[in-house]
Amino acid sequence: MTVLLSLLLVHLLADFPLQTKRMALHKQRNRRILVQHLAVHGALMLLVLAFFVIQGTLSLEGAGLLGGSILVFHALLDASPLKRRVKQAAAYWIDQALHIAAIIALTWLFVPIDWSLSFSRPEQVLWILCFSLVTTELLGHGIALMLAPFAPRLIEAHFERKVTRKEQLDGVSRTVTHEVEDSARSYTTELNGIGRYIGLVERAIITLLVVTNATGAIGFIIALKALARFKQFEDRRFAEYYIIGSLLSILGAILCGLAMRVAL
């Protein structure tokens, strides 16, 4: 189980925190960028597999075959036309499911895995780290892609109006008309990037509360987040978008928290 969890952690690290936005957007069509992405995966995997070879858990040949198989499958999947043929959100979830399934299957092929739920201390740490990245990164990107078609957009309006007022100069009163340009912004938009980080922190805190069995405090986190968006709730479309996103985020965080408790 330690080898499997270590390789899953490598995948989550290389596909999320260590993958730049440029890599994520262009690796499918640009081979140079794909090679850079695979190099990150390969370097992390080399360190992990070298540790297990030194420890005696894996033979040098077995480690080479396992690492090479995972890397080749990863390259084929990232270069596949899946994202061009399937909607973006569906492609994302299928892609991640195939990556994780391949790592599990290939590891099982080369290394005997103990599927019991009795975890050693290193396995507990690895399990928690994996689900921490799932709740903060994997779920965050997936939910954002699912809601992208429904995301409210910024609406700006510019208009001119005439203002008439009386002025008095040297005892002479006169009427003056001014043209004034006004602008208005709707509240149906989110600050660029801020919503993502709010959701990330929200899921991390909720997961921690579930793990520590302090679920009563989840309501406070939800209320605090809602308070920051209170004025935007006047826009019905934004309110619906916010509620769906929050419910998906909270559900994912709770499930990840429950999964973490399995290892404790």
Side-chain angles (χ1 to χ4, degrees):
M1 182 70 83
T2 309
V3 176
L4 174 60
L5 291 174
S6 299
L7 292 174
L8 288 172
L9 182 60
V10 164
H11 166 72
L12 292 168
L13 285 170
D15 249 25
F16 294 103
L18 300 180
Q19 179 175 228
T20 64
K21 187 176 181 180
R22 179 168 168 266
M23 285 181 181
L25 291 174
H26 303 296
K27 64 184 179 182
Q28 184 185 10
R29 297 179 181 177
N30 190 315
R31 289 190 179 182
R32 182 167 165 269
I33 294 175
L34 177 60
V35 168
Q36 291 174 355
H37 175 61
L38 293 172
V40 175
H41 267 278
L44 289 176
M45 199 151 41
L46 180 63
L47 291 173
V48 167
L49 294 175
F51 171 79
F52 287 115
V53 169
I54 294 168
Q55 194 184 50
T57 307
L58 286 171
S59 66
L60 185 59
E61 183 183 2
L65 288 171
L66 175 57
S69 301
I70 291 173
L71 206 58
V72 167
F73 186 86
H74 193 102
L76 292 173
L77 197 53
D78 279 357
S80 73
L82 174 68
K83 292 179 181 177
R84 293 199 300 267
R85 296 182 179 179
V86 184
K87 288 185 179 180
Q88 197 174 11
Y92 171 85
W93 288 108
I94 293 170
D95 177 76
Q96 288 302 317
L98 289 174
H99 277 305
I100 291 169
I103 292 170
I104 294 171
L106 290 169
T107 305
W108 195 7
L109 187 64
F110 289 99
V111 185
I113 299 174
D114 178 13
W115 295 104
S116 68
L117 294 179
S118 55
F119 293 86
S120 64
R121 185 53 57 89
E123 288 171 346
Q124 285 180 326
V125 173
L126 289 167
W127 183 272
I128 289 170
L129 288 174
C130 284
F131 274 99
S132 296
L133 287 169
V134 169
T135 191
T136 54
E137 295 284 353
L138 192 149
L139 282 177
H141 287 278
I143 291 170
L145 289 172
M146 288 167 64
L147 295 180
F150 313 105
R153 305 289 184 232
L154 173 63
I155 298 173
E156 287 188 278
H158 296 274
F159 54 92
E160 292 182 353
R161 61 189 174 93
K162 291 184 178 181
V163 177
T164 303
R165 63 178 179 178
K166 288 186 177 181
E167 294 183 350
Q168 190 166 359
L169 182 63
D170 297 330
V172 178
S173 179
R174 61 178 182 172
T175 301
V176 181
T177 300
H178 298 277
E179 286 191 357
V180 180
E181 183 178 342
D182 289 332
S183 62
R185 275 190 170 189
S186 77
Y187 292 101
T188 57
T189 185
E190 292 191 275
L191 293 175
N192 186 30
I194 297 297
R196 175 178 177 269
Y197 292 109
I198 291 173
L200 188 152
V201 174
E202 174 198 31
R203 288 190 301 277
I205 293 173
I206 291 174
T207 302
L208 181 62
L209 292 173
V210 173
V211 171
T212 56
N213 202 25
T215 50
I218 293 176
F220 173 76
I221 303 300
I222 298 169
L224 184 64
K225 183 182 174 185
L227 184 64
R229 306 286 184 146
F230 180 73
K231 196 167 185 179
Q232 289 172 288
F233 290 155
E234 295 172 3
D235 187 310
R236 181 179 175 181
R237 186 180 175 191
F238 176 83
E240 292 170 347
Y241 169 78
Y242 174 90
I243 291 169
I244 294 170
S246 292
L247 289 175
L248 288 172
S249 185
I250 292 163
L251 176 62
I254 290 173
L255 292 175
C256 286
L258 293 173
M260 286 186 190
R261 288 183 64 174
V262 170
L264 301 177

